Amino acid sequence: MSLTGAYDPDNVFAKIIRGDVPSVKVFEDDRVLALMDVFPQSEGHVLVISKVSQARNLLEAEPETLTDLITATQRLARAVPEALGCDGVTVSQFNGQAGGQTVFHLHFHVIPRWSDRPLGRHGSGGMADPAELEATAARIRAVLTAA
């Protein structure tokens, strides 16, 4: 998919926002949803998506959408190390198929990193166990709630 084109209202994130596809939610407000990545590169891999924008990528995003998303991303990037005890965190965002984007709905990745663990390839470990995702999400939510 190129950097330009029509938004697909049936992409997986749109379906999650509508409630058509289940997800493990970490944080949600009127404009943003943070959820566990079901194909994580690392334990605790969180995705941050807009609930109100149909921007497919950063290049199409409205300034207020970017403000909402980066504020939520920063909040999660602070909470994840406290919740999981990781040594660092990678925040990433991809634009267009050639840029590594696979879901064409603007989103950010918050990926916990440990010094002694290699980063996995997205999807290479298969789909994560929903119960494990929920347990990890609960740890992150506890930190967010306490903040």
Side-chain angles (χ1 to χ4, degrees):
M1 234 184 189
S2 71
L3 291 176
T4 59
Y7 180 80
D8 176 7
D10 287 322
N11 73 69
V12 68
F13 294 158
K15 289 178 180 180
I16 288 169
I17 291 165
R18 286 194 306 266
D20 298 342
V21 172
S23 67
V24 176
K25 296 178 183 179
V26 177
F27 164 81
E28 183 175 20
D29 64 20
D30 291 342
R31 298 182 57 81
V32 174
L33 172 62
L35 61 146
M36 301 303 294
D37 192 321
V38 297
F39 294 102
Q41 289 183 265
S42 174
E43 175 193 355
H45 184 160
V46 178
L47 302 171
V48 183
I49 65 174
S50 173
K51 292 172 53 178
V52 297
S53 177
Q54 291 190 348
R56 295 177 321 120
N57 55 55
L58 183 77
L59 307 175
E60 297 174 354
E62 309 84 359
E64 61 275 10
T65 296
L66 293 175
T67 299
D68 295 338
L69 289 176
I70 203 64
T71 300
T73 299
Q74 181 187 46
R75 186 173 175 215
L76 285 156
R78 288 177 172 158
V80 163
E82 184 177 342
L84 304 181
C86 57
D87 302 310
V89 62
T90 296
V91 174
S92 59
Q93 193 280 316
F94 306 100
N95 298 282
Q97 187 172 17
Q101 188 175 11
T102 57
V103 178
F104 296 91
H105 180 112
L106 175 62
H107 61 285
F108 287 82
H109 297 255
V110 178
I111 307 169
R113 302 293 301 271
W114 285 266
S115 299
D116 61 347
R117 298 185 202 173
L119 183 63
R121 238 180 111 216
H122 194 259
S124 65
M127 188 175 273
D129 178 270
E132 289 177 16
L133 291 177
E134 180 53 48
T136 303
R139 292 168 60 194
I140 299 168
R141 282 193 299 266
V143 170
L144 289 171
T145 303

mmCIF file of all heavy atoms in Angstrom, residues 1-8 11 50 52-66 69 93-96 101 103-107:
data_model
loop_
_atom_site.group_PDB
_atom_site.id
_atom_site.type_symbol
_atom_site.label_atom_id
_atom_site.label_comp_id
_atom_site.label_asym_id
_atom_site.label_seq_id
_atom_site.Cartn_x
_atom_site.Cartn_y
_atom_site.Cartn_z
ATOM 1 N N MET A 1 0.827 -1.181 0.000
ATOM 2 C CA MET A 1 0.000 0.000 0.000
ATOM 3 C C MET A 1 0.872 1.245 0.000
ATOM 4 O O MET A 1 1.858 1.320 0.701
ATOM 5 C CB MET A 1 -0.878 0.002 1.235
ATOM 6 C CG MET A 1 -2.301 0.157 0.899
ATOM 7 S SD MET A 1 -3.458 0.302 2.194
ATOM 8 C CE MET A 1 -4.835 0.153 1.120
ATOM 9 N N SER A 2 0.487 2.210 -0.763
ATOM 10 C CA SER A 2 1.275 3.428 -0.872
ATOM 11 C C SER A 2 0.972 4.370 0.282
ATOM 12 O O SER A 2 0.150 4.096 1.144
ATOM 13 C CB SER A 2 0.954 4.123 -2.201
ATOM 14 O OG SER A 2 -0.344 4.671 -2.145
ATOM 15 N N LEU A 3 1.622 5.520 0.267
ATOM 16 C CA LEU A 3 1.414 6.528 1.298
ATOM 17 C C LEU A 3 0.121 7.311 1.109
ATOM 18 O O LEU A 3 -0.274 8.066 1.991
ATOM 19 C CB LEU A 3 2.602 7.503 1.320
ATOM 20 C CG LEU A 3 3.912 6.901 1.807
ATOM 21 C CD1 LEU A 3 5.033 7.917 1.686
ATOM 22 C CD2 LEU A 3 3.787 6.429 3.245
ATOM 23 N N THR A 4 -0.522 7.150 -0.016
ATOM 24 C CA THR A 4 -1.777 7.848 -0.262
ATOM 25 C C THR A 4 -2.845 6.839 -0.637
ATOM 26 O O THR A 4 -2.549 5.733 -1.080
ATOM 27 C CB THR A 4 -1.627 8.880 -1.405
ATOM 28 O OG1 THR A 4 -1.215 8.193 -2.596
ATOM 29 C CG2 THR A 4 -0.598 9.939 -1.052
ATOM 30 N N GLY A 5 -4.070 7.218 -0.464
ATOM 31 C CA GLY A 5 -5.174 6.334 -0.831
ATOM 32 C C GLY A 5 -6.328 6.481 0.125
ATOM 33 O O GLY A 5 -6.304 7.289 1.048
ATOM 34 N N ALA A 6 -7.337 5.673 -0.082
ATOM 35 C CA ALA A 6 -8.548 5.723 0.731
ATOM 36 C C ALA A 6 -8.383 4.891 2.004
ATOM 37 O O ALA A 6 -7.740 3.844 2.002
ATOM 38 C CB ALA A 6 -9.728 5.199 -0.080
ATOM 39 N N TYR A 7 -8.975 5.368 3.058
ATOM 40 C CA TYR A 7 -9.011 4.642 4.327
ATOM 41 C C TYR A 7 -9.933 3.429 4.181
ATOM 42 O O TYR A 7 -11.032 3.536 3.636
ATOM 43 C CB TYR A 7 -9.528 5.563 5.432
ATOM 44 C CG TYR A 7 -9.612 4.906 6.785
ATOM 45 C CD1 TYR A 7 -8.477 4.764 7.569
ATOM 46 C CD2 TYR A 7 -10.820 4.439 7.281
ATOM 47 C CE1 TYR A 7 -8.543 4.165 8.814
ATOM 48 C CE2 TYR A 7 -10.900 3.838 8.516
ATOM 49 C CZ TYR A 7 -9.755 3.703 9.286
ATOM 50 O OH TYR A 7 -9.826 3.100 10.510
ATOM 51 N N ASP A 8 -9.492 2.289 4.687
ATOM 52 C CA ASP A 8 -10.297 1.068 4.656
ATOM 53 C C ASP A 8 -11.025 0.924 5.995
ATOM 54 O O ASP A 8 -10.396 0.604 7.011
ATOM 55 C CB ASP A 8 -9.406 -0.145 4.412
ATOM 56 C CG ASP A 8 -10.164 -1.462 4.461
ATOM 57 O OD1 ASP A 8 -11.413 -1.444 4.547
ATOM 58 O OD2 ASP A 8 -9.503 -2.511 4.423
ATOM 59 N N ASN A 11 -10.329 -2.272 8.203
ATOM 60 C CA ASN A 11 -9.032 -2.713 8.718
ATOM 61 C C ASN A 11 -9.215 -3.195 10.157
ATOM 62 O O ASN A 11 -10.207 -2.882 10.821
ATOM 63 C CB ASN A 11 -7.977 -1.596 8.600
ATOM 64 C CG ASN A 11 -8.171 -0.477 9.596
ATOM 65 O OD1 ASN A 11 -7.977 -0.656 10.791
ATOM 66 N ND2 ASN A 11 -8.538 0.698 9.090
ATOM 67 N N SER A 50 -5.751 5.877 17.244
ATOM 68 C CA SER A 50 -6.794 6.895 17.331
ATOM 69 C C SER A 50 -8.156 6.239 17.120
ATOM 70 O O SER A 50 -8.323 5.422 16.221
ATOM 71 C CB SER A 50 -6.573 7.978 16.276
ATOM 72 O OG SER A 50 -7.672 8.873 16.273
ATOM 73 N N VAL A 52 -10.782 8.265 16.591
ATOM 74 C CA VAL A 52 -11.589 9.265 15.882
ATOM 75 C C VAL A 52 -11.062 9.622 14.495
ATOM 76 O O VAL A 52 -11.800 10.160 13.678
ATOM 77 C CB VAL A 52 -11.730 10.555 16.720
ATOM 78 C CG1 VAL A 52 -12.467 10.259 18.016
ATOM 79 C CG2 VAL A 52 -10.378 11.198 16.999
ATOM 80 N N SER A 53 -9.814 9.345 14.214
ATOM 81 C CA SER A 53 -9.221 9.738 12.938
ATOM 82 C C SER A 53 -9.243 8.582 11.941
ATOM 83 O O SER A 53 -9.120 7.422 12.316
ATOM 84 C CB SER A 53 -7.772 10.176 13.152
ATOM 85 O OG SER A 53 -7.160 10.491 11.915
ATOM 86 N N GLN A 54 -9.362 8.926 10.683
ATOM 87 C CA GLN A 54 -9.220 7.940 9.618
ATOM 88 C C GLN A 54 -7.902 8.135 8.885
ATOM 89 O O GLN A 54 -7.749 7.670 7.744
ATOM 90 C CB GLN A 54 -10.406 7.998 8.666
ATOM 91 C CG GLN A 54 -11.674 7.501 9.311
ATOM 92 C CD GLN A 54 -12.806 7.316 8.324
ATOM 93 O OE1 GLN A 54 -12.756 7.756 7.187
ATOM 94 N NE2 GLN A 54 -13.840 6.636 8.764
ATOM 95 N N ALA A 55 -6.943 8.756 9.542
ATOM 96 C CA ALA A 55 -5.603 8.869 8.964
ATOM 97 C C ALA A 55 -4.998 7.475 8.879
ATOM 98 O O ALA A 55 -5.035 6.710 9.837
ATOM 99 C CB ALA A 55 -4.719 9.782 9.808
ATOM 100 N N ARG A 56 -4.458 7.147 7.727
ATOM 101 C CA ARG A 56 -3.821 5.844 7.547
ATOM 102 C C ARG A 56 -2.395 5.862 8.045
ATOM 103 O O ARG A 56 -1.817 4.820 8.342
ATOM 104 C CB ARG A 56 -3.860 5.438 6.074
ATOM 105 C CG ARG A 56 -5.279 5.213 5.563
ATOM 106 C CD ARG A 56 -5.367 4.884 4.086
ATOM 107 N NE ARG A 56 -4.430 5.662 3.307
ATOM 108 C CZ ARG A 56 -3.453 5.128 2.553
ATOM 109 N NH1 ARG A 56 -3.327 3.843 2.449
ATOM 110 N NH2 ARG A 56 -2.651 5.909 1.892
ATOM 111 N N ASN A 57 -1.793 7.058 8.126
ATOM 112 C CA ASN A 57 -0.396 7.164 8.522
ATOM 113 C C ASN A 57 -0.123 8.555 9.088
ATOM 114 O O ASN A 57 -1.008 9.418 9.097
ATOM 115 C CB ASN A 57 0.526 6.845 7.338
ATOM 116 C CG ASN A 57 0.234 7.709 6.136
ATOM 117 O OD1 ASN A 57 0.243 8.939 6.219
ATOM 118 N ND2 ASN A 57 -0.059 7.085 5.002
ATOM 119 N N LEU A 58 1.093 8.768 9.524
ATOM 120 C CA LEU A 58 1.502 10.037 10.127
ATOM 121 C C LEU A 58 1.339 11.201 9.154
ATOM 122 O O LEU A 58 0.984 12.316 9.555
ATOM 123 C CB LEU A 58 2.967 9.919 10.569
ATOM 124 C CG LEU A 58 3.564 11.103 11.294
ATOM 125 C CD1 LEU A 58 3.074 11.125 12.729
ATOM 126 C CD2 LEU A 58 5.068 11.024 11.267
ATOM 127 N N LEU A 59 1.553 10.949 7.888
ATOM 128 C CA LEU A 59 1.509 12.009 6.880
ATOM 129 C C LEU A 59 0.103 12.552 6.685
ATOM 130 O O LEU A 59 -0.071 13.694 6.254
ATOM 131 C CB LEU A 59 2.068 11.488 5.554
ATOM 132 C CG LEU A 59 3.449 10.849 5.636
ATOM 133 C CD1 LEU A 59 3.843 10.264 4.299
ATOM 134 C CD2 LEU A 59 4.485 11.821 6.152
ATOM 135 N N GLU A 60 -0.911 11.758 6.992
ATOM 136 C CA GLU A 60 -2.303 12.159 6.809
ATOM 137 C C GLU A 60 -2.955 12.681 8.092
ATOM 138 O O GLU A 60 -4.079 13.169 8.058
ATOM 139 C CB GLU A 60 -3.126 10.966 6.306
ATOM 140 C CG GLU A 60 -2.698 10.443 4.960
ATOM 141 C CD GLU A 60 -3.443 9.178 4.556
ATOM 142 O OE1 GLU A 60 -4.229 8.622 5.355
ATOM 143 O OE2 GLU A 60 -3.228 8.746 3.418
ATOM 144 N N ALA A 61 -2.274 12.553 9.204
ATOM 145 C CA ALA A 61 -2.893 12.811 10.503
ATOM 146 C C ALA A 61 -3.134 14.295 10.773
ATOM 147 O O ALA A 61 -2.322 15.150 10.425
ATOM 148 C CB ALA A 61 -2.014 12.240 11.608
ATOM 149 N N GLU A 62 -4.249 14.544 11.418
ATOM 150 C CA GLU A 62 -4.584 15.878 11.882
ATOM 151 C C GLU A 62 -3.712 16.208 13.102
ATOM 152 O O GLU A 62 -3.414 15.325 13.901
ATOM 153 C CB GLU A 62 -6.065 15.931 12.297
ATOM 154 C CG GLU A 62 -7.037 15.403 11.261
ATOM 155 C CD GLU A 62 -7.223 13.878 11.287
ATOM 156 O OE1 GLU A 62 -6.597 13.168 12.106
ATOM 157 O OE2 GLU A 62 -7.998 13.398 10.446
ATOM 158 N N PRO A 63 -3.318 17.466 13.269
ATOM 159 C CA PRO A 63 -2.467 17.836 14.411
ATOM 160 C C PRO A 63 -3.056 17.426 15.766
ATOM 161 O O PRO A 63 -2.323 16.945 16.637
ATOM 162 C CB PRO A 63 -2.338 19.357 14.293
ATOM 163 C CG PRO A 63 -2.495 19.622 12.836
ATOM 164 C CD PRO A 63 -3.518 18.610 12.366
ATOM 165 N N GLU A 64 -4.364 17.571 15.944
ATOM 166 C CA GLU A 64 -4.963 17.206 17.230
ATOM 167 C C GLU A 64 -4.899 15.689 17.455
ATOM 168 O O GLU A 64 -4.755 15.233 18.594
ATOM 169 C CB GLU A 64 -6.393 17.733 17.369
ATOM 170 C CG GLU A 64 -7.381 17.227 16.341
ATOM 171 C CD GLU A 64 -7.421 18.006 15.018
ATOM 172 O OE1 GLU A 64 -6.557 18.863 14.750
ATOM 173 O OE2 GLU A 64 -8.326 17.717 14.221
ATOM 174 N N THR A 65 -4.971 14.922 16.386
ATOM 175 C CA THR A 65 -4.833 13.470 16.500
ATOM 176 C C THR A 65 -3.427 13.114 16.952
ATOM 177 O O THR A 65 -3.239 12.273 17.834
ATOM 178 C CB THR A 65 -5.153 12.787 15.153
ATOM 179 O OG1 THR A 65 -6.517 13.031 14.833
ATOM 180 C CG2 THR A 65 -4.891 11.295 15.198
ATOM 181 N N LEU A 66 -2.437 13.771 16.356
ATOM 182 C CA LEU A 66 -1.052 13.509 16.754
ATOM 183 C C LEU A 66 -0.816 13.881 18.212
ATOM 184 O O LEU A 66 -0.126 13.156 18.936
ATOM 185 C CB LEU A 66 -0.087 14.264 15.842
ATOM 186 C CG LEU A 66 -0.057 13.784 14.400
ATOM 187 C CD1 LEU A 66 0.846 14.678 13.560
ATOM 188 C CD2 LEU A 66 0.382 12.334 14.319
ATOM 189 N N LEU A 69 -2.347 11.114 20.333
ATOM 190 C CA LEU A 69 -1.611 9.856 20.251
ATOM 191 C C LEU A 69 -0.251 9.928 20.923
ATOM 192 O O LEU A 69 0.136 9.005 21.648
ATOM 193 C CB LEU A 69 -1.456 9.420 18.796
ATOM 194 C CG LEU A 69 -2.734 8.936 18.119
ATOM 195 C CD1 LEU A 69 -2.474 8.636 16.650
ATOM 196 C CD2 LEU A 69 -3.303 7.719 18.820
ATOM 197 N N GLN A 93 6.825 3.883 14.734
ATOM 198 C CA GLN A 93 5.646 4.216 13.947
ATOM 199 C C GLN A 93 6.050 4.083 12.489
ATOM 200 O O GLN A 93 7.094 4.574 12.089
ATOM 201 C CB GLN A 93 5.204 5.651 14.299
ATOM 202 C CG GLN A 93 3.835 6.062 13.820
ATOM 203 C CD GLN A 93 3.802 6.459 12.364
ATOM 204 O OE1 GLN A 93 4.668 7.178 11.878
ATOM 205 N NE2 GLN A 93 2.799 5.967 11.669
ATOM 206 N N PHE A 94 5.256 3.369 11.679
ATOM 207 C CA PHE A 94 5.608 3.051 10.299
ATOM 208 C C PHE A 94 4.618 3.692 9.329
ATOM 209 O O PHE A 94 3.437 3.804 9.640
ATOM 210 C CB PHE A 94 5.607 1.534 10.088
ATOM 211 C CG PHE A 94 6.489 0.801 11.063
ATOM 212 C CD1 PHE A 94 5.952 0.168 12.169
ATOM 213 C CD2 PHE A 94 7.853 0.768 10.879
ATOM 214 C CE1 PHE A 94 6.762 -0.498 13.075
ATOM 215 C CE2 PHE A 94 8.681 0.104 11.773
ATOM 216 C CZ PHE A 94 8.132 -0.533 12.873
ATOM 217 N N ASN A 95 5.117 4.065 8.151
ATOM 218 C CA ASN A 95 4.286 4.743 7.160
ATOM 219 C C ASN A 95 4.451 4.095 5.795
ATOM 220 O O ASN A 95 5.533 4.126 5.222
ATOM 221 C CB ASN A 95 4.673 6.218 7.085
ATOM 222 C CG ASN A 95 4.439 6.908 8.408
ATOM 223 O OD1 ASN A 95 3.316 7.239 8.739
ATOM 224 N ND2 ASN A 95 5.496 7.086 9.189
ATOM 225 N N GLY A 96 3.372 3.518 5.275
ATOM 226 C CA GLY A 96 3.392 2.868 3.976
ATOM 227 C C GLY A 96 3.989 1.477 4.053
ATOM 228 O O GLY A 96 4.767 1.163 4.945
ATOM 229 N N GLN A 101 4.745 -0.660 7.396
ATOM 230 C CA GLN A 101 3.381 -0.629 7.908
ATOM 231 C C GLN A 101 2.583 -1.810 7.361
ATOM 232 O O GLN A 101 2.641 -2.118 6.172
ATOM 233 C CB GLN A 101 2.714 0.693 7.506
ATOM 234 C CG GLN A 101 1.370 0.923 8.126
ATOM 235 C CD GLN A 101 0.786 2.296 7.796
ATOM 236 O OE1 GLN A 101 1.289 3.011 6.947
ATOM 237 N NE2 GLN A 101 -0.289 2.643 8.479
ATOM 238 N N VAL A 103 -0.821 -2.482 9.009
ATOM 239 C CA VAL A 103 -2.215 -2.088 9.230
ATOM 240 C C VAL A 103 -2.293 -0.604 8.904
ATOM 241 O O VAL A 103 -1.605 0.202 9.533
ATOM 242 C CB VAL A 103 -2.680 -2.368 10.669
ATOM 243 C CG1 VAL A 103 -4.119 -1.891 10.864
ATOM 244 C CG2 VAL A 103 -2.557 -3.846 11.002
ATOM 245 N N PHE A 104 -3.139 -0.249 7.969
ATOM 246 C CA PHE A 104 -3.171 1.117 7.457
ATOM 247 C C PHE A 104 -4.197 1.972 8.194
ATOM 248 O O PHE A 104 -5.157 2.478 7.641
ATOM 249 C CB PHE A 104 -3.354 1.091 5.935
ATOM 250 C CG PHE A 104 -2.169 0.432 5.296
ATOM 251 C CD1 PHE A 104 -2.162 -0.929 5.063
ATOM 252 C CD2 PHE A 104 -1.034 1.161 5.012
ATOM 253 C CE1 PHE A 104 -1.042 -1.549 4.530
ATOM 254 C CE2 PHE A 104 0.086 0.548 4.478
ATOM 255 C CZ PHE A 104 0.080 -0.808 4.236
ATOM 256 N N HIS A 105 -3.928 2.092 9.488
ATOM 257 C CA HIS A 105 -4.636 2.957 10.430
ATOM 258 C C HIS A 105 -3.521 3.483 11.325
ATOM 259 O O HIS A 105 -2.783 2.687 11.917
ATOM 260 C CB HIS A 105 -5.649 2.127 11.231
ATOM 261 C CG HIS A 105 -6.454 2.904 12.230
ATOM 262 N ND1 HIS A 105 -7.798 3.112 12.074
ATOM 263 C CD2 HIS A 105 -6.105 3.512 13.394
ATOM 264 C CE1 HIS A 105 -8.253 3.814 13.105
ATOM 265 N NE2 HIS A 105 -7.228 4.069 13.921
ATOM 266 N N LEU A 106 -3.364 4.787 11.389
ATOM 267 C CA LEU A 106 -2.257 5.381 12.153
ATOM 268 C C LEU A 106 -2.144 4.757 13.537
ATOM 269 O O LEU A 106 -3.131 4.681 14.269
ATOM 270 C CB LEU A 106 -2.473 6.891 12.271
ATOM 271 C CG LEU A 106 -1.474 7.654 13.149
ATOM 272 C CD1 LEU A 106 -0.060 7.542 12.585
ATOM 273 C CD2 LEU A 106 -1.899 9.101 13.279
ATOM 274 N N HIS A 107 -0.940 4.321 13.887
ATOM 275 C CA HIS A 107 -0.702 3.751 15.209
ATOM 276 C C HIS A 107 0.769 3.839 15.593
ATOM 277 O O HIS A 107 1.643 3.936 14.749
ATOM 278 C CB HIS A 107 -1.191 2.300 15.295
ATOM 279 C CG HIS A 107 -0.517 1.347 14.355
ATOM 280 N ND1 HIS A 107 -0.791 1.324 12.998
ATOM 281 C CD2 HIS A 107 0.389 0.368 14.576
ATOM 282 C CE1 HIS A 107 -0.064 0.369 12.427
ATOM 283 N NE2 HIS A 107 0.657 -0.225 13.368
#
